[in-house]
Structure formats: C-alpha cells, structure tokens
Amino acid sequence: MRAELRVNWAYRVWSGLSTEGRGVGRSPLDDRQVALACAALDRAAERWAGLAEGETLTWRW
C-alpha cells in the first residue's frame, strides 16, 4: 500500500492533478523523491511518444 500511495502521489504531481483537498492527505514523498519520480515519468513519456503506431514498449525490471 505504501508503494501504491507513493506512485499515485508522484503521478498526480507529474500530471498536474490536485495534491490538495479532501481525501488527498499529506505527501508520502519529499521534494527530492518527487523530482526523481517526475524525471523518470518524463523519460518514460518520451519513450512512449517516440513509438510509431503498432510498435510496443517493453520495460525490463
């Protein structure tokens, strides 16, 4: 659950969704962690945008 909350928070910040208000709570990430996560999401979005129609994107963990 902790990991899910962190990912959700990073995605909310990165995508410009609200991080305030009812049901949102405090950030589970510090400023450095948010910056790292947003940079990783930027790189992923660039890779995704670079695909031609019908191509796939594979991530190895």
Side-chain angles (χ1 to χ4, degrees):
M1 180 60 105
R2 187 174 179 199
E4 292 291 332
L5 290 172
R6 288 171 171 240
V7 168
N8 181 270
W9 188 271
Y11 178 76
R12 290 183 76 77
V13 171
W14 180 77
S15 63
L17 295 172
S18 176
T19 56
E20 297 179 3
R22 183 180 171 153
V24 176
R26 286 183 333 160
S27 173
L29 303 171
D30 61 34
D31 290 343
R32 181 184 144 292
Q33 292 169 320
V34 169
L36 288 171
C38 287
L41 288 167
D42 285 340
R43 289 189 304 273
E46 286 175 19
R47 287 183 66 187
W48 181 255
L51 295 176
E53 187 172 335
E55 288 185 311
T56 60
L57 180 62
T58 301
W59 290 92
R60 299 213 191 288
W61 295 73

